[in-house]
Each structure stands twice: as structure tokens, then as C-alpha cells.
Amino acid sequence: MAKKAKKSDKDEPAKKVVASNRKARHDYLIEDTVEAGLVLTGTEVKSLRMGRASLVDGYADERHGELWLENVHIPEYINGNWTNHSTKRRRKLLMHRHEIDKLIGKSQEAGHTLIPLSLYFLNGRVKVEIALAKGKRQYDKRQALRERQDNREAERAMSRAVRRAHSQTR
């Protein structure tokens, strides 16, 4: 009789990222994130397993007390036939009722929206990370870019100083 392997605290579930929305962190101030499941058809899952999706213009919307993911592009499955899905169809998000109510309440505040940050497989199931976000103004975006550039220049200056000090000690 074989022994069962104990799952240690270090073991994390396998997470395979299919698509991420890097532009969202530039355009929005992320206030809260939540993981949700998705209702998908078979060809959509097969297309995602091939690593094909785009979250660029995606957002989540409330309809009849449920959250729906809209405008997310999952291309048609190459080997599919007449049962293939439409690429930008509305997809239902699977979440607990209290999470849905909390997100709907917060998203109805002025300037807030629900956007997908990443789409990934977690233990064989498709998950999407949804963020409650507030749109940045143009000057906020410029300020963030300026800070990033200043940090990059400071890192370069530090590495140059370290290299000089290291070469002088030889």
C-alpha cells in the first residue's frame, strides 16, 4: 500500500498565467483585487490552454445582481468546428454573493470600475483576477512615469559607483 504524500506549507498550487493586463496598472489606481472563476465553453478553455487571450479592453459589469466579464478577447480555437465560440462574448463571473455585493457597491462610486488584471489556470480551472480600480488623471500617469524613471536612474548610478569601487580595489 502506497503512502500519501503530505502537502507541506511550501507547496503552492500550480498557477499558469495565460494573459495579463499590464496597461491597467498604468491607467488605473488599483484599490482591491479579488479572484473569480469563469463560465466558459470547451473551445474557450482549449484556446486558453494554447496561451491565447487579451484583457486590454476588458471590464466587469453588473447585470441582474450578477457580474459579467465583457470585452475580453479569447480567439477561436484553431481545431474547432461549428461549435466554436464568439471571440468577445459576455462571460459570467463565479463568486460568492457577499463578494459580488461588495464589489457592486464599491464600483458604483464615482470614478470606480472593475477591470481584469490577469487570466490564469489554477489547478486546472480558469480564474480571473478582478480589480476595483479608479481611473488616473493624465498628470498622475506622468508623475508615476517620472518616479519610475528617477528610480531607474538612481539604480544605474548606484551600480556604476559599485563597479568603480570594485575595479579600484583590484
Side-chain angles (χ1 to χ4, degrees):
M1 194 166 133
K3 287 186 175 181
K4 283 188 177 180
K6 288 187 178 180
K7 193 172 185 180
S8 68
D9 294 334
K10 296 177 187 175
D11 293 341
E12 289 187 18
K15 184 176 179 179
K16 180 188 169 199
V17 177
V18 176
S20 62
N21 191 354
R22 295 188 330 202
K23 188 178 177 188
R25 296 197 187 273
H26 173 72
D27 291 341
Y28 296 97
L29 177 66
I30 308 300
E31 294 182 0
D32 191 19
T33 60
V34 123
E35 181 181 83
L38 276 173
V39 176
L40 298 173
T41 64
T43 55
E44 287 174 321
V45 175
K46 289 179 181 184
S47 184
L48 288 174
R49 287 201 188 280
M50 294 175 68
R52 305 173 65 210
S54 174
L55 301 174
V56 174
D57 294 328
Y59 63 95
D61 193 22
E62 182 262 335
R63 289 180 190 257
H64 309 294
E66 297 175 335
L67 284 177
W68 295 82
L69 192 61
E70 302 206 30
N71 225 15
V72 171
H73 182 77
I74 299 177
E76 287 186 349
Y77 180 55
I78 295 171
N79 298 326
N81 51 20
W82 59 272
T83 59
N84 243 334
H85 62 278
S86 61
T87 57
K88 285 201 173 188
R89 74 175 188 90
R90 186 180 307 133
R91 296 166 181 96
K92 186 177 179 181
L93 292 174
L94 301 173
M95 301 168 67
H96 291 284
R97 170 57 47 200
H98 63 89
E99 291 176 324
I100 293 173
D101 293 339
K102 183 177 102 173
L103 284 177
I104 289 172
K106 287 184 178 180
S107 68
Q108 290 175 348
E109 294 175 13
H112 287 82
T113 187
L114 296 171
I115 55 170
L117 292 180
S118 63
L119 190 64
Y120 53 91
F121 282 95
L122 186 67
N123 294 331
R125 298 184 188 240
V126 179
K127 303 288 184 180
V128 63
E129 186 179 17
I130 299 291
L132 177 68
K134 188 172 185 176
K136 285 185 182 178
R137 304 237 186 251
Q138 191 65 34
Y139 60 85
D140 291 335
K141 293 178 191 178
R142 283 194 298 264
Q143 183 178 357
L145 286 172
R146 194 174 305 116
E147 285 177 15
R148 199 173 314 132
Q149 186 176 6
D150 291 345
N151 289 340
R152 200 175 302 131
E153 288 175 5
E155 288 290 325
R156 283 187 195 134
M158 293 285 285
S159 66
R160 272 190 237 123
V162 168
R163 274 188 268 144
R164 277 192 215 121
H166 184 68
S167 66
Q168 290 176 356
T169 58
R170 286 186 177 184

